[in-house]
Structures are given as structure tokens and as C-alpha cells.
Amino acid sequence: MSKTVAILLPIPTERPYTYGVPEGMVLAPGDHVQVPLGPRKVAAVVWDGKVDEVNPKKLKAVEQKFDCPPLSKELMQFVEWIAAYTLSPPGMVLRMILRSPAALEPLPNTIAYKFAGKEPEKLTEARKRILTLARDGMAWSKSGLAHAAGTSASVVNGLITQGVLEEVEIPAGPLVPLPDNSYHQPELLEEQIDSAKALVETTEANKFSVSLLDGVTGSGKTEVYFEAVAKVLELGKQALILLPEIALTANFLERFQDRFGVKPGEWHSDIAPKKREQLWRQVATGEVRVVAGARSALFLPFHDLGLIVVDEEHDAAYKQEDRVFYNARDMAVVRGRLADAPVILSSATPSLESRVNADRGRYHYLRMEARYGEAVLPDLATIDMRKNPPPRGGFISPILRQAIGEAVERGEQALLFLNRRGYAPLTLCRVCGHRFQCPNCTTWLVEHRFRKQLQCHHCGHNDKVPEVCPSCGTFDHLVACGPGVERLAEEVVDIFPDARTLILSSDLMGGVKRLRLELDAIAKGECDIVIGTQLVAKGHNFPLMSCVGVIDADLGLSNGDPRAAERTFQLLSQVTGRAGRAGGKSFGFLQTYQPEHPVIQAIAAGDREAFYEREILGRQSSGLPPFGRLASIIVSASTRNEAEGQAKAMRRLAPKEAGISILGPAEAPIAILRERHRFRLLVHGDLGVNLQAWLRKWLAASPKEKGSIRVQIDVDPQSFL
Ligand code: ADP
Ligand code: ZN
């Protein structure tokens, strides 16, 4: 063993490790290998670059090279780029690529059966049917044959035992068949044709570019970017479509199938591991041509990536806030650049970052202002809750109540939107004022009445709802404060006892399967009033929905988050955009205590340009993203003292540099999370400064993380809790 090689392991290391290369093994950068790590064997990747000297006695050897296409140079660069940008160890970024180690081995052959040429001892009717099918020499799966012949598997088994059918091994076929780019071409409208043409052109150019497809809800953005996907298929390349909430996007898969004849490869946490492994492997070999997936799909080892689409690009779900903190929208643009492939960002309410990039001409800007077909945007109005208060104990104002009633009367649907899961966000004792707080976090416990639980939405802690106040011992005097969707549903059922009411919330029993069924049921008109959290805001098509009521439009406007206005604007525009998709008149109502607030006014007036203009000016004057850069540092520890001490020491030791300022440390809004005390520092950098380089210098100068202390860095933070 004379040669050594650099290997990057999927563990939190800054640098590749050195391993020996056994005689006869030829390794090149990107190759997948198995190496020993302590007592374990891990899948890792041969890396480029310098290796540390290792004492030859301690040098361990690569054990195996997998029979799998190597990581592309592009993907290796992507790992290093993200690591440098997010200040994460490259090994942790690599780990996001190597999520399916079993996929590194070729797929096992599948077992099938075919006619062996020998007649059975006794020819029953069932056996006859099987043989009629099998005689043509084709191989069948056991269940497939039984099913096609209308017999049970035991009849097939009988024939196998007799040697009438023989076992054959065939290579596993592709997981998903090849999409057909001309399966069903829609007739596009003028505005759609222009946008589609532009996207097809950038796709055909076959080099990096970014297009922002900005079209109102229902303008047909999906149909339009499908044309670019069709072009990629024609070019023989692969496409990745990122969706913020794929588990709920059954509808999307169906639309893809309507257009291309088959479903795309699907990638998200709800897919069975085996399927995921197959998909990973077939993406690497290039057999799977189109993948629709959640943000983690961005780390799939595409063989020849020709297009990335980020649907609902503004969505906060693209931000991962765990280990490697990254925004999949931004990283999609990076991957597009490294792979020299075009990127399409699509949204009805683009993020300010993307809008500004488009305004500056960095992105192609494609705008679609008309809804497809009969669909017209709803008439929007604010309801001033100070003047039109709901009845005592209720949350629905008389105006909204009447509008819901009228919609249901007409045989149409109403949607009530409230971004609060559970029954009530706070429970207290009427006698002593005791408030139920999470034992692990500084948060209120949320009552979930269906499950009879008090639950922390941050750490998952839950208690049974007690009958007695734990503080004063009074029996049966707990009151629910404020609304959650469950409580709202109670009110709706009270007011409209004959209407079919449905709650849509991510935490209800039955998980994703049930949600998909429910979304389907709504689309088919099988319910009258839907009460939903932000789940309903995401891209669904409800043709019969003609009345949307936002219960608390102010929620989210005033929480110290620089993006609060933008988020509220996006969410409310998306929610009200659910109405009026199938023509006819439709209405959207915003219940608010501050109808004069510019965001509420802009939404109600349907004046998005006013909103963007104002918000862009505001960000510009305060140097907030995209006119300045932010990084948030969370220092946490098991005691308040340790966390505060570390945060203060870091503040003191921060290098001075022009264009960089630090806010804090301050106790985080969620001061304790999962039993850890948290302090925040917020770094602001002017556009010209190299924020990462400065952060690295700072971390190097800071005291080491001792004991329970952890320092977490979030570049381009989305959350300020
Ligand atoms: P968006 O993503 O912009 O909200 P969608 O792509 O979901 O819009 O389109 C809204 C609806 O209009 C969908 O049901 C879609 O199938 C339909 N649609 C849009 N454009 C066309 C077209 N050119 N031909 C047929 N149906 C279309
Ligand atoms: Zn908690």
C-alpha cells in the first residue's frame, strides 16, 4: 500500500481524511468508496486536493469501491461552495448527498417466472388461464400473473412447484418510465406563450441563467414551465422541480402525468427508503429524467442536469434550519451556475430578493397578469374588527358570517384561514391566572382538543389537559384564550350546523395520506366550509371556492422579523388567491384591527406593485436584505449564565471592520428551547464586505465551545425567534 488518497467522510470534519489505496484499486475524485472509521464502515467519497500526512502505521485502507457513477465535479464543487457559504463542515454537506448508502450498490435483479415448456399434471380452469398468458414466453411477476389470470397466488405457486413455470432473474427496470414530452400539449394563451417561449429559449441555450416567472395565482405558471421541462427532455437531459411541500402535492404529480403521460420521480421524506434508494441510483445513472422533490432533492447526484425549477420560490419551507442552515432557493441558483444549467423561479408573490434581482436585470423577468380561462381574482375587502366585532367568544365578524352563508347557499365553498393549529394558543386558570407553559421552552402550551392534549409547538412536549389547575387546585376552571383552527371549527359548526365542515391542519391524525384525500375532497366539492392553516395556501386548486375569509390578517405583522410584512403579504395573497378559480364572482375578506396598515391596504387594493415598491424602499433605507447582509448567531447552553457569558465574550472579541456591525447579544424571543437557554447576536454587513471571511475570523477569535455551549450560525436568516 504505497499510495494514499483524500476521502471526504459524511461527518462533521473540515477536511478530508487520508486513506491508503490497496494494490490494484484505481480511484479518482468523485468515486464512492467504503472506508473504516473506528469500528464502523462508512460510505464516503474520494475528494480532490491535498491530504494530511498520516503515520503509515496508522494508515487505514479503502475497503471497497462501489459500482456506482462517481459524484460529478459540479456536485463536489457544490458541496464546497455550500460549506464555505454557510460555514458548515463540508462533511456535513456531503452527508446530505449520501443519504442513501444502499443506493451505491447496483439494484438487485428481480425474480420473475416464465413458462418452462412442460405441461402441468392436471389442467384446471385457473391453470389454463395462467398458461394462456405465460405461453408467449414473457416473464411475469408472481402477483402480476395471478392478477392477470384472475387466480390466487397459490395456483401460480403450484405450477412453480411442478416446474411448469421457471424462475428467471431480470434486471430491475427504471423506477419511473420516460416522460413523453409531447403526450399532451396544452394550448397556451398569448401571455403564456410569451413566457413559455422565453423559458424554452433559456433551456435550449443550455447554460446558466435565472428566470423569474411572476404570475398571479391561476395564471398557469405550471403549464408554462412544463414547456421548459419538455425541452429538457427533448435535449436528453434531466430536470429537477423543487416544491415547498411535496408531500401535499399529489395534485402536482397528477398534472405532470396529464402533461407527460407518467409521474415524475418523487423525492421527499415520506417516500419509502427502498424507493428513495432506487431513485437516487437512477438519478445518478440518468435513467430517471425528471424529479419533483422537497428541498433535499437539490442534493441528488444528477447525471446531466439541464434545468432546475423552484416552484413557489418565496416559500419559507425552502429554508433548512438544522445542522446545515441553507436556503434551497438560493442554493438552487448556485447549483444551476455550477452545473451551467438554467434555473426558473416561479411564484405569484416573489421574494423581495428575487424581485430586486429581476429589477436589476440579473434575472430574466417574465410576468403573467391574467388568470387562465374564466378565473378572475376575488374582490378583496378589509373588515375593520373594531367596528364589526364578532359576538362574544367568537372570531367571525357578522360581515364574514353573512358572506360564508351566501357562498354555501349558492352551492359554493368558503375557506376560513387561520394560521394557528390546535384549539387555543393559550390556556389559563380563571381562578389563579396560572398559564400553562412548556417545561422545556419559554412558550405557551397549545390546547389540542381532539387529542385532549396541551402541546408545545416548538419541542413537541405534550401533557394531558388536566381537570385541576396544577397551581391552585381548582377543579374545572381552565379557559382557552384566543383562537386555533379547532376552536374556529366549533364556531362554524355552531353557526352553520348543516354545512359540511372540514379542518385542514398538518397535525391531524392520518398524516399526509389523509391530507391528500381531504384536499381531493375539497377540490371535488365534497365539503362546504374549509378551515385551514397555511397548508391551504400552497398552490392547490379548489374550483368551487368563492369566499375566503382571513380570520386574523394582523397575525404576523408585528413580530420583530424584518420579513414580517413580506410574509404577511405573500401568505394573504396566496390564501385569497384560492378563490375564484373557476369563474364567477368571488370574495376575499381580511379581518383586521389595523385596516390602515400599508400591507393590508396593498393586499386589499390588489396593488402588489405598491407593496413591492414600498417594501423595497424600506429595505433599501435600512440596508436590510437584499441591500445588506445578515447573519444570525445563536448561542445556547444548558444554563443561562453560560449562554450569556459566551455571547458577551464573542461580542467583545469581534474583529472591528468597516461595514460590519453587531446587534446584541440579547435573549432570544424564545429564551429557552428544548431546555437550552438562548442568546442571539445579529451581524449586519454592507453589500461590499466578505461576510463569511469576517465570520470565520470572528469564530477563530472567539472562546471555544466548552461544555454545553453551542454556537450556531445562520447566514441569511429567515427566522428571528
Ligand atoms: P398557477 O401555478 O399560476 O397558480 P396553474 O398552472 O396552477 O396556475 O394553472 C391554474 C389552472 O389553469 C390549472 O388548473 C391549469 O391546468 C389551468 N390552465 C392554465 N393554463 C392552461 C392552458 N393553457 N390550457 C389548459 N389549462 C390551463
Ligand atoms: Zn417546548
Side-chain angles (χ1 to χ4, degrees), residues 184 186-189 192 215-225 251 255 311-312 346 348 368 372-373 539 541 578 581:
H184 174 82
E187 243 175 82
L188 298 181
L189 306 177
Q192 296 178 330
V216 295
T217 49
S219 58
K221 295 185 288 298
T222 316
E223 307 294 337
V224 167
Y225 72 64
N251 177 259
R255 284 182 63 183
D311 203 343
E312 310 279 354
S346 169
M368 299 202 290
Y372 176 73
N541 243 323
R578 294 305 117 211
R581 289 207 159 211

Coordinates of all heavy atoms in Angstrom, one line a residue, residues 184 186-189 192 215-225 251 255 311-312 346 348 368 372-373 539 541 578 581, ligand 1:
H184 N -49.3 15.4 -24.0 CA -50.5 16.2 -24.1 C -50.1 17.7 -24.1 O -49.8 18.2 -23.0 CB -51.5 16.0 -23.0 CG -52.7 16.9 -23.1 ND1 -53.7 16.8 -23.9 CD2 -52.9 18.1 -22.4 CE1 -54.5 17.8 -23.8 NE2 -54.1 18.6 -22.9
P186 N -50.7 21.4 -24.0 CA -51.9 22.3 -23.8 C -51.8 23.5 -24.8 O -50.7 23.8 -25.4 CB -51.7 22.9 -22.4 CG -50.2 22.9 -22.2 CD -49.7 21.7 -23.0
E187 N -53.0 24.1 -25.1 CA -53.0 25.2 -25.9 C -52.7 26.4 -25.0 O -53.6 26.7 -24.2 CB -54.3 25.3 -26.6 CG -54.2 25.2 -28.1 CD -55.5 25.2 -28.8 OE1 -56.1 26.3 -29.0 OE2 -56.0 24.1 -29.1
L188 N -51.6 27.1 -25.2 CA -51.3 28.2 -24.3 C -52.0 29.5 -24.8 O -52.2 29.7 -26.0 CB -49.8 28.3 -24.2 CG -49.1 27.1 -23.6 CD1 -47.6 27.4 -23.5 CD2 -49.6 26.8 -22.2
L189 N -52.2 30.4 -23.9 CA -52.7 31.7 -24.2 C -51.6 32.6 -24.5 O -50.4 32.3 -24.3 CB -53.5 32.3 -23.0 CG -54.6 31.4 -22.5 CD1 -55.2 32.0 -21.3 CD2 -55.6 31.1 -23.6
Q192 N -49.1 33.4 -21.9 CA -48.4 32.1 -21.5 C -47.4 31.8 -22.6 O -46.3 31.3 -22.3 CB -49.4 31.0 -21.4 CG -50.4 31.2 -20.2 CD -51.4 30.1 -20.1 OE1 -51.8 29.5 -21.1 NE2 -51.8 29.8 -18.9
G215 N -46.3 35.3 -11.9 CA -47.7 35.3 -12.4 C -48.7 35.1 -11.3 O -48.5 34.4 -10.4
V216 N -49.8 35.8 -11.5 CA -50.8 35.7 -10.4 C -51.3 34.3 -10.2 O -51.1 33.5 -11.1 CB -52.1 36.6 -10.8 CG1 -51.7 38.1 -10.8 CG2 -52.7 36.2 -12.0
T217 N -51.8 34.0 -9.1 CA -52.3 32.6 -8.8 C -53.3 32.3 -9.9 O -54.2 33.0 -10.2 CB -53.0 32.5 -7.4 OG1 -53.9 33.6 -7.3 CG2 -52.0 32.6 -6.3
G218 N -53.1 31.1 -10.5 CA -54.0 30.7 -11.5 C -53.7 31.1 -12.9 O -54.5 30.9 -13.9
S219 N -52.5 31.7 -13.1 CA -52.2 32.2 -14.4 C -51.6 31.1 -15.3 O -51.4 31.3 -16.5 CB -51.2 33.4 -14.3 OG -50.1 33.0 -13.6
G220 N -51.3 30.0 -14.7 CA -50.8 28.9 -15.5 C -49.3 28.8 -15.5 O -48.7 28.3 -16.4
K221 N -48.7 29.1 -14.4 CA -47.2 29.1 -14.3 C -46.7 27.7 -14.5 O -45.7 27.4 -15.2 CB -46.7 29.6 -13.0 CG -47.0 31.1 -12.8 CD -46.4 31.7 -11.5 CE -47.2 31.2 -10.2 NZ -48.6 31.6 -10.1
T222 N -47.4 26.7 -13.9 CA -47.0 25.3 -14.0 C -47.0 24.9 -15.5 O -46.0 24.3 -15.9 CB -47.9 24.4 -13.2 OG1 -48.2 25.0 -11.9 CG2 -47.3 23.1 -12.9
E223 N -48.1 25.1 -16.2 CA -48.2 24.8 -17.6 C -47.1 25.4 -18.3 O -46.5 24.8 -19.2 CB -49.5 25.3 -18.2 CG -50.8 24.9 -17.4 CD -51.1 23.4 -17.5 OE1 -50.6 22.7 -18.4 OE2 -51.8 22.9 -16.5
V224 N -46.7 26.6 -18.0 CA -45.7 27.3 -18.7 C -44.3 26.7 -18.5 O -43.6 26.4 -19.4 CB -45.7 28.8 -18.4 CG1 -44.5 29.5 -18.9 CG2 -47.0 29.4 -19.0
Y225 N -44.0 26.5 -17.2 CA -42.6 25.9 -17.0 C -42.5 24.4 -17.5 O -41.4 23.9 -17.7 CB -42.1 26.2 -15.6 CG -42.6 25.5 -14.4 CD1 -42.5 24.1 -14.3 CD2 -43.2 26.2 -13.4 CE1 -42.9 23.4 -13.2 CE2 -43.7 25.5 -12.3 CZ -43.6 24.1 -12.2 OH -44.0 23.5 -11.1
N251 N -51.5 16.6 -6.3 CA -52.1 17.3 -7.4 C -51.1 17.6 -8.4 O -51.3 17.5 -9.6 CB -52.8 18.5 -6.8 CG -53.4 19.4 -7.8 OD1 -52.8 20.4 -8.2 ND2 -54.5 19.0 -8.3
R255 N -50.8 16.5 -12.4 CA -50.7 17.4 -13.5 C -49.5 17.1 -14.4 O -49.6 17.2 -15.6 CB -50.6 18.8 -13.0 CG -52.0 19.3 -12.5 CD -52.0 20.7 -12.0 NE -51.6 21.6 -13.1 CZ -51.5 22.9 -12.9 NH1 -51.6 23.4 -11.7 NH2 -51.2 23.7 -13.9
D311 N -40.5 26.0 -7.6 CA -41.9 26.5 -7.6 C -42.2 27.1 -6.3 O -41.6 26.7 -5.2 CB -42.8 25.3 -7.8 CG -44.2 25.7 -8.4 OD1 -44.5 26.9 -8.3 OD2 -44.9 24.9 -8.9
E312 N -43.0 28.1 -6.2 CA -43.3 28.9 -5.0 C -42.0 29.3 -4.4 O -41.8 29.1 -3.2 CB -44.1 28.1 -4.0 CG -45.4 27.4 -4.6 CD -46.6 28.3 -4.8 OE1 -46.5 29.5 -4.3 OE2 -47.6 27.9 -5.4
S346 N -40.4 30.4 -9.7 CA -41.8 30.7 -10.1 C -42.6 31.1 -8.8 O -42.4 30.5 -7.7 CB -42.4 29.4 -10.7 OG -43.8 29.5 -10.8
A348 N -46.3 33.6 -7.4 CA -47.3 34.6 -7.6 C -46.9 35.8 -6.7 O -47.4 36.9 -6.9 CB -48.7 34.1 -7.2
M368 N -47.0 37.3 -15.7 CA -48.3 36.9 -16.3 C -49.4 37.5 -15.4 O -49.4 37.2 -14.2 CB -48.4 35.4 -16.4 CG -47.3 34.8 -17.3 SD -47.8 33.2 -17.9 CE -47.7 32.2 -16.4
Y372 N -56.0 32.1 -15.9 CA -56.4 31.3 -17.0 C -57.9 31.1 -17.1 O -58.6 31.0 -16.1 CB -55.7 29.9 -16.9 CG -56.2 29.0 -18.0 CD1 -55.7 29.2 -19.3 CD2 -57.1 28.0 -17.8 CE1 -56.2 28.4 -20.4 CE2 -57.5 27.2 -18.8 CZ -57.1 27.4 -20.1 OH -57.5 26.6 -21.1
G373 N -58.4 31.1 -18.3 CA -59.9 30.8 -18.5 C -60.8 31.8 -17.9 O -60.6 33.0 -17.9
G539 N -50.6 26.5 -3.4 CA -50.8 26.0 -4.7 C -51.9 25.1 -5.1 O -52.0 24.5 -6.1
N541 N -55.7 23.8 -6.1 CA -56.7 24.3 -7.0 C -58.1 23.9 -6.5 O -58.4 22.7 -6.5 CB -56.5 23.6 -8.4 CG -56.2 24.7 -9.4 OD1 -56.8 25.8 -9.4 ND2 -55.3 24.3 -10.3
R578 N -56.8 31.6 -3.6 CA -57.5 30.3 -3.7 C -58.9 30.5 -4.2 O -59.6 29.5 -4.7 CB -57.7 29.5 -2.3 CG -56.4 29.1 -1.7 CD -55.6 28.2 -2.5 NE -54.3 28.9 -2.8 CZ -53.6 28.8 -3.9 NH1 -54.0 28.1 -4.8 NH2 -52.5 29.5 -4.0
R581 N -61.3 30.5 -8.8 CA -60.5 29.8 -9.9 C -61.4 29.3 -11.0 O -60.9 29.0 -12.1 CB -59.7 28.7 -9.3 CG -58.6 29.2 -8.4 CD -57.5 28.2 -8.3 NE -56.3 28.9 -7.9 CZ -55.1 28.6 -8.3 NH1 -54.9 27.6 -9.1 NH2 -54.1 29.3 -7.9
Ligands
ADP1 P1 -50.5 28.9 -11.2 O1 -49.5 27.9 -10.9 O2 -50.0 30.1 -11.9 O3 -51.4 29.2 -10.0 P2 -51.7 26.8 -12.6 O4 -50.6 26.4 -13.5 O5 -52.0 26.0 -11.4 O6 -51.5 28.3 -12.2 O7 -53.0 26.9 -13.5 C1 -54.3 27.1 -13.0 C2 -55.3 26.3 -13.7 O8 -55.5 26.6 -15.0 C3 -54.9 24.8 -13.7 O9 -56.0 24.0 -13.5 C4 -54.3 24.6 -15.1 O10 -54.5 23.3 -15.5 C5 -55.2 25.6 -15.9 N1 -54.5 26.1 -17.1 C6 -53.6 27.1 -17.1 N2 -53.2 27.3 -18.3 C7 -53.8 26.4 -19.1 C8 -53.8 26.2 -20.6 N3 -53.1 26.9 -21.4 N4 -54.6 25.2 -21.0 C9 -55.4 24.4 -20.2 N5 -55.4 24.6 -18.8 C10 -54.7 25.6 -18.3

